[in-house]
Amino acid sequence: MAEDLVVTSALVIPAGELRERFSRSSGPGGQSVNTADSRVELSFDLARSPAVPDWLRPRMLARLANRLVDGVLTVAASEHRYQLRNRQAARTRLADLLRAAAAPPPAKRRPTKPSRGSQERRLTAKRQRAQVKRGRRGHPED
């Protein structure tokens, strides 16, 4: 599993910059549950990585600020019984997080005004609704 992690066409993380840690996973596993280290923690030093372009680093650090510990992003995977599947899941999760953090900011909203026709329809509907409610009022007996 020592292959580069492709995040986007402009951002590829070399395999040497990824750190994997293995530990015992909770959940199913049968007899091997106490011996197999199937849980995977994948770490990537976002703040000091030469693979991240300088123009992109501040945006990614700002967007992932609540997930970083000393500039290091860590992702854990333990949903599968097998270490290899957990390693693949962790890599996929890390790539998705980095891809979302590297995405350009959304375009600014351009405020628009309601059209004259939509304003007239709204007011007409309000008048009709008021007329219906006025018709429901009880008239006091004379």
Side-chain angles (χ1 to χ4, degrees), residues 29-50:
Q31 291 179 339
S32 64
V33 75
N34 294 326
T35 59
D37 289 343
S38 60
R39 181 175 187 270
V40 177
E41 283 185 17
L42 186 63
S43 299
F44 171 63
D45 192 351
L46 179 61
R48 290 173 277 287
S49 173

Side-chain angles (χ1 to χ4, degrees), residues 111-116 118-119:
T112 58
K113 293 182 180 177
S115 67
R116 181 176 294 177
S118 70
Q119 287 177 341

Side-chain angles (χ1 to χ4, degrees), residues 13-137:
I13 309 299
E17 292 189 26
L18 299 173
R19 300 281 171 253
E20 290 180 324
R21 240 182 74 209
F22 306 102
S23 59
R24 302 233 168 96
S25 178
S26 62
Q31 291 179 339
S32 64
V33 75
N34 294 326
T35 59
D37 289 343
S38 60
R39 181 175 187 270
V40 177
E41 283 185 17
L42 186 63
S43 299
F44 171 63
D45 192 351
L46 179 61
R48 290 173 277 287
S49 173
V52 179
D54 291 334
W55 59 270
L56 186 59
R57 189 182 323 272
R59 180 191 309 167
M60 294 179 77
L61 288 172
R63 289 187 178 172
L64 295 170
N66 59 341
R67 293 201 56 141
L68 297 175
V69 177
D70 295 330
V72 177
L73 177 63
T74 303
V75 174
S78 62
E79 61 267 15
H80 301 289
R81 287 185 181 194
Y82 304 104
Q83 188 184 86
L84 182 61
R85 285 192 188 157
N86 282 331
R87 290 173 81 183
Q88 291 168 343
R91 289 173 66 89
T92 302
R93 204 169 295 152
L94 181 67
D96 290 344
L97 273 172
L98 292 175
R99 194 173 300 116
K108 280 202 147 197
R109 181 188 173 277
R110 290 176 28 198
T112 58
K113 293 182 180 177
S115 67
R116 181 176 294 177
S118 70
Q119 287 177 341
E120 289 174 5
R121 285 190 299 272
R122 182 179 64 85
L123 294 174
T124 303
K126 283 179 71 159
R127 280 192 289 272
Q128 288 174 347
R129 189 75 184 144
Q131 185 68 34
V132 167
K133 290 187 172 191
R134 218 175 292 123
R136 290 182 186 159
R137 281 193 205 146

